[in-house]
Amino acid sequence: MDASIKESVKASDKEAQKEEPGKYYILNRAIFYIGRIVSSQKGRDFVKSEYNKMKRVYSIWICMNMKENSLTQIYLAKKDIIGLHDWKGDLELLNIIMIGMAENLPEKEENYELHRLLSALLSSSLEAEEKLDIIEKEYDIPIEDDIREEVEEMCNLSQGIKEKAFEGGYLMGQEEGRESGYAEGKQNGYAEAICMMYKSGLPIEQIAGIIKMSTDKVKELVKPDLMD
């Protein structure tokens, strides 16, 4: 990307989704978000009627647990109905990027380079060394100490929440001697681990992706004092 294009691009919104939402169309939400990003430029990036100073914006969405890997760009298009007048303006001002990710790590193929990298980073089944090996050897990304620590921490949190939930459920079920005790203990185990992850700075959407739970359910389990 040359310098002139870089200068015109506005840092964008990025959001990860556990899966494609069922309560609403995700594209509608993306359009709402990108419209809000565009309107926020007035008064900051340009004033009054200086609309030629508007910068390109990108809203990037990553939807996990999809049936197949996909990559879609959605942008403004021009359709001449009568006449061929050349209206001045930038049709590339608005860009929505939808990245659909299947559950399994894709094979090492040119078409799926981005999906393989994202899958490796977000996977809850790969060990830290497997992730780092893919990042470093396949993508030539230098592994600094801080990157290694963050990847290992994510793997430990992912594994820890599974163990915490199982342990809490097993012990509660054993003490109560009934199935409802197990369910309650499992819930308590999840809640404790979720609060730990949220307190460490992980966003709700990322926590939901790690434990394969809806964002609404994660929000229910986060302690109210942490949400303030």
Side-chain angles (χ1 to χ4, degrees):
M1 186 181 290
D2 61 43
S4 62
I5 295 179
K6 283 183 179 179
E7 183 65 25
S8 68
V9 172
K10 175 69 181 175
S12 65
D13 220 14
K14 297 173 287 295
E15 182 160 341
Q17 296 283 319
K18 174 195 169 188
E19 58 192 12
E20 189 171 7
K23 294 183 178 179
Y24 56 84
Y25 295 134
I26 192 169
L27 183 55
N28 288 4
R29 183 178 176 187
I31 293 171
F32 172 79
Y33 276 22
I34 204 167
R36 190 166 62 180
I37 297 173
V38 171
S39 64
S40 69
Q41 293 185 47
K42 188 167 187 179
R44 183 186 65 234
D45 298 316
F46 71 93
V47 295
K48 297 183 178 179
S49 298
E50 299 175 330
Y51 295 106
N52 286 355
K53 292 185 178 181
M54 289 173 60
K55 298 179 180 179
R56 295 180 187 176
V57 296
Y58 291 79
S59 183
I60 304 171
W61 297 72
I62 302 173
C63 293
M64 295 169 280
N65 300 317
M66 303 293 285
K67 293 181 179 179
E68 61 179 358
N69 291 305
S70 62
L71 177 61
T72 305
Q73 180 182 8
I74 300 163
Y75 52 91
L76 294 174
K78 174 187 174 184
K79 180 179 179 181
D80 292 314
I81 299 175
I82 299 177
L84 299 173
H85 184 75
D86 184 20
W87 300 97
K88 304 300 182 184
D90 185 1
L91 290 177
E92 297 182 2
L93 278 175
L94 310 182
N95 295 272
I96 298 173
I97 309 297
M98 310 297 294
I99 303 174
M101 294 174 53
E103 186 172 353
N104 296 326
L105 182 72
E107 296 295 328
K108 186 179 177 182
E109 298 179 12
E110 183 176 354
N111 286 345
Y112 298 115
E113 285 185 339
L114 174 61
H115 292 80
R116 184 171 172 83
L117 176 60
L118 292 175
S119 292
L121 288 171
L122 301 175
S123 173
S124 59
S125 59
L126 290 178
E127 297 293 335
E129 286 304 319
E130 292 179 286
K131 294 186 177 187
L132 293 170
D133 190 62
I134 291 175
I135 295 170
E136 185 172 26
K137 293 182 178 179
E138 294 186 18
Y139 296 90
D140 297 322
I141 299 176
I143 303 299
E144 305 292 343
D145 290 340
D146 55 342
I147 294 179
R148 179 176 294 275
E149 290 176 2
E150 289 178 3
V151 171
E152 291 177 348
E153 181 179 358
M154 283 298 300
C155 289
N156 290 337
L157 285 171
S158 179
Q159 181 62 29
I161 191 169
K162 293 177 183 177
E163 294 176 355
K164 178 70 70 175
F166 176 79
E167 179 184 358
Y170 176 78
L171 292 177
M172 181 68 74
Q174 188 178 53
E175 291 173 3
E176 298 294 333
R178 62 180 185 272
E179 186 176 347
S180 60
Y182 174 81
E184 183 181 352
K186 183 176 181 180
Q187 183 87 337
N188 291 339
Y190 271 126
E192 183 177 346
I194 286 172
C195 289
M196 178 180 66
M197 296 169 74
Y198 185 81
K199 191 175 181 180
S200 71
L202 292 179
I204 294 292
E205 290 77 9
Q206 192 167 0
I207 297 172
I210 291 173
I211 64 175
K212 299 188 183 302
M213 182 181 289
S214 70
T215 54
D216 290 340
K217 189 62 179 178
V218 171
K219 290 177 182 178
E220 288 180 9
L221 295 177
V222 173
K223 292 180 179 178
D225 59 316
L226 296 179
M227 296 289 286
D228 293 337

